[in-house]
Each structure stands twice: as structure tokens, then as C-alpha cells.
């Protein structure tokens, strides 16, 4: 350990190099800890090189069959060339087939900038392409987000609280000291929500604050086709959502079953409207928002 005496201001930095003239590199640092009276934020600065600044121009991908006229799809962000982070550009191949390209016999693919039909001189910059991948058609996930305080009904002692840090500025829960309902779902302290799905297999996530060991709710969707891995044997249809991840700030946790090794519960639902019920189990557990999604992989 060496003590170095310095006068204010003191600048602390980490420098990296590619060891090749004209070639830039990237480095990522994590778990940096500072002690003492230190102020200011980490900043990024290139040393001894001019960082690229791309000219503004459209970006495109073109596909063509052998001897055919290429079909061109332009990026929907006119400033795409000036994005500094890795960004996925997903293109529906139907845009090419609608323009006359036979997708079973693609001969060339090209990536370019500017107007492909009328290229012009000038412009400068640097463009990196990482991967080109072909995926089957992907439907967007079926997701329903609900604010906890926007329930169809909230039965006391469950109630609404104000918190500017919560989604929507409010959340629900019960006061400490109300008493727990550890063995059986209660007849009171229940919030009920109506929602509609396309049908399939879903999971539920709750945005919660869990402190002081109050870490559980009862959860169910009456009329669900099935639950995997199952529900509370003593209270069929109810998930004993216990051992929720602790945290004194709002965070998401997947609804899992305390009766089945805390496995995340997958719920099979028919298309149409359903009802979600969330009941108090341990007082002091707080609920901000709900996400129901079929993105279960």
C-alpha cells in the first residue's frame, strides 16, 4: 500500500489502448468503489484520437434474386447512422417479398447508406455490423400491465397508499400489525383485476417492496385451465407466493409456488377475459404493479 499526497482537484482515470495506430478499442469497467469525500461522475474521453462522427444519411438493406432488381428497405430512423450503441434492426422479410423478391431464392444481400437508386459522392463516417441473422416470424408477446391501485375492487384491510416513487404514484398493501393469513387465503384483504388474453401459457410478475420478513401474497386466476407446477394442495387454485425477493425499493419478482420448491408458476388460460385475485398473506408486503405475459421462455 502506497500513500500518495495530492492537492485538489484530483482526477482518477483508467486508460486503455488497442496498441495499433488508428484503431480504437472499447473497454468496460464494473464494481468500481470509491471511499471518502469524492464528488463528480465518471466520464468518457478519447485520448489522442478523433472519435468518428458519421454524416447524416439513410441506411438500407437490399435483397435480390439472380439477375433481378433489388428490393430495398430503409431504416425507419433517419438518424440510425449516428447511434453510438449496438442496436438491433429487425426487418420483416415480407417487406422484400411484397416488393417482388422470391425469398426462396435470394442471391445477394447488401447493406448501404444513402439513396441506393441515386448514389451521391461525399459523406464520411464509420459503420460496424455485428451479426446478420434470419429468424422465423415472431409474434410480439401478449402482455398485460396493471397498476395495483387500479383494481376492480380492493377489500379492506388491503388499501391504497401514496408514493411518488411508485408507478402511477400509488401502491397497495396492508398496515403492519393487521395479522397474517399464512395457512389459508383470507375472505378479506383481496384485490381483484379483470384482464383479457389471446390464450396460451402465461406467468405473472409483481413489482413489490418486501422488508422485515413480510414476503408473501396469495395469488390465483379462477377458471385457469391448469397451473404448472401446481397450487397449494390445501387451497386448490391458490398460489402460495412466499419467499419473495427482499428489497426496500420497487422491484419485480416472478410469481412462484412455495408449495413446489419455489418454481415459477406457468398458468394456461383460454382466450378471453379472466380475473386475477391477489390476497394478503403477510402484513407489510407492498404491491405497485402487475405484469401478465406469455413470454415464458
Amino acid at each position: 500500500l502506497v500513500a500518495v499526497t495530492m492537492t485538489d482537484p484530483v482526477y482518477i482515470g483508467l486508460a486503455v489502448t488497442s496498441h495499433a495506430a488508428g484503431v480504437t478499442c472499447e473497454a468496460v469497467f464494473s464494481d468500481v468503489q470509491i471511499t471518502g469525500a469524492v464528488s463528480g461522475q465518471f466520464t468518457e474521453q478519447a485520448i489522442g484520437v478523433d472519435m468518428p462522427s458519421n454524416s447524416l444519411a439513410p441506411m438500407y438493406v437490399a435483397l435480390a434474386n439472380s439477375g433481378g432488381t433489388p428490393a430495398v428497405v430503409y431504416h425507419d430512423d433517419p438518424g440510425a447512422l449516428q447511434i453510438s450503441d449496438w442496436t438491433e434492426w429487425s426487418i420483416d422479410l415480407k417487406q422484400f417479398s411484397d416488393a417482388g423478391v422470391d425469398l426462396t431464392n435470394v442471391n445477394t444481400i447488401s447493406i448501404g447508406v444513402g439513396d441506393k437508386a441515386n448514389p451521391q459522392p461525399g459523406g464520411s463516417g464509420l459503420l460496424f455490423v455485428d451479426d446478420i441473422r434470419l429468424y422465423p416470424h415472431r409474434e410480439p408477446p401478449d402482455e398485460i400491465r396493471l397498476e395495483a391501485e387500479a383494481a376492480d375492487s380492493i377489500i379492506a384491510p388491503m388499501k391504497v397508499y401514496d408514493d411518488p416513487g411508485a408507478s402511477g404514484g400509488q401502491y397497495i398493501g396492508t398496515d403492519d400489525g393487521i395479522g397474517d393469513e399464512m395457512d389459508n387465503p383470507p375472505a378479506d384483504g383481496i384485490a381483484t383485476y379483470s384482464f383479457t388474453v389471446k390464450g396460451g401459457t402465461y406467468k405473472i410478475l409483481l413489482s413489490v417492496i418486501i422488508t422485515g420478513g413480510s414476503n408473501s401474497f396469495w395469488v390465483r386466476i379462477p377458471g385457469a385451465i391448469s397451473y404448472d407446477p401446481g397450487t397449494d394442495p390445501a387451497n386448490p387454485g391458490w398460489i402460495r407466493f412466499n419467499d419473495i425477493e427482499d428489497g426496500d425499493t420497487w422491484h419485480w419478482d416472478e410469481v412462484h409456488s412455495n408449495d413446489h420448491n419455489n418454481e415459477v408458476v406457468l398458468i394456461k388460460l383460454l382466450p378471453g377475459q379472466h380475473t386475477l385475485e391477489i390476497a394478503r398473506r403477510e402484513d407489510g408486503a407492498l404491491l405497485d404493479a402487475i405484469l401478465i405475459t406469455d413470454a415464458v421462455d
Side-chain angles (χ1 to χ4, degrees):
L1 178 64
V2 177
V4 180
T5 302
M6 294 179 285
T7 58
D8 289 337
V10 175
Y11 299 97
I12 303 170
L14 298 168
V16 296
T17 175
S18 66
H19 297 285
V23 178
T24 59
C25 68
E26 179 183 33
V28 178
F29 300 97
S30 64
D31 299 322
V32 178
Q33 298 182 359
I34 300 173
T35 60
V38 178
S39 62
Q41 299 294 321
F42 282 106
T43 60
E44 177 182 322
Q45 176 65 51
I47 303 173
V49 298
D50 294 325
M51 296 302 290
S53 178
N54 290 350
S55 300
L56 190 62
M59 178 179 176
Y60 65 80
V61 171
L63 297 184
N65 302 129
S66 180
T69 301
V72 183
V73 173
Y74 286 91
H75 201 296
D76 55 7
D77 182 356
L81 287 180
Q82 296 182 341
I83 298 174
S84 59
D85 297 319
W86 288 112
T87 304
E88 182 183 73
W89 179 16
S90 297
I91 305 173
D92 191 337
L93 293 180
K94 189 174 185 297
Q95 296 181 72
F96 296 106
S97 60
D98 287 347
V101 173
D102 180 1
L103 296 177
T104 66
N105 186 29
V106 174
N107 181 259
T108 61
I109 175 173
S110 58
I111 301 171
V113 297
D115 184 348
K116 183 171 176 57
N118 185 28
Q120 299 293 321
S124 63
L126 189 63
L127 170 65
F128 294 99
V129 178
D130 184 21
D131 294 307
I132 300 174
R133 298 179 181 178
L134 184 66
Y135 293 101
H137 179 68
R138 295 181 290 179
E139 290 288 344
D142 187 16
E143 293 189 344
I144 299 91
R145 183 184 171 102
L146 305 166
E147 289 294 333
E149 68 274 9
D152 298 332
S153 64
I154 300 176
I155 302 174
M158 189 87 78
K159 65 180 184 179
V160 177
Y161 303 82
D162 293 326
D163 177 8
S167 173
Q170 294 183 313
Y171 65 93
I172 67 172
T174 55
D175 293 337
D176 285 327
I178 292 295
D180 298 333
E181 297 288 349
M182 306 295 282
D183 297 326
N184 299 293
D188 59 7
I190 301 175
T192 303
Y193 306 84
S194 297
F195 65 97
T196 302
V197 295
K198 296 177 182 177
T201 301
Y202 294 80
K203 67 180 178 181
I204 304 170
L205 297 89
L206 302 185
S207 177
V208 295
I209 284 179
I210 300 294
T211 59
S214 298
N215 61 0
S216 65
F217 290 101
W218 293 98
V219 179
R220 74 170 175 176
I221 299 179
I225 297 175
S226 63
Y227 294 85
D228 181 16
T231 58
D232 177 20
N235 300 280
W238 283 100
I239 303 166
R240 191 192 304 262
F241 183 26
N242 192 26
D243 297 329
I244 303 175
E245 181 181 350
D246 284 350
D248 58 4
T249 58
W250 296 112
H251 60 281
W252 292 93
D253 198 1
E254 298 171 311
V255 171
H256 50 261
S257 174
N258 190 232
D259 296 287
H260 298 274
N261 299 316
N262 283 342
E263 292 185 47
V264 174
V265 179
L266 304 182
I267 307 170
K268 192 170 183 179
L269 301 173
L270 290 171
Q273 189 174 66
H274 295 272
T275 300
L276 169 67
E277 296 178 345
I278 299 177
R280 65 186 181 94
R281 187 166 184 270
E282 293 180 82
D283 57 18
L286 310 178
L287 174 62
D288 179 26
I290 303 156
L291 179 65
I292 303 168
T293 177
D294 66 353
V296 297
D297 296 329

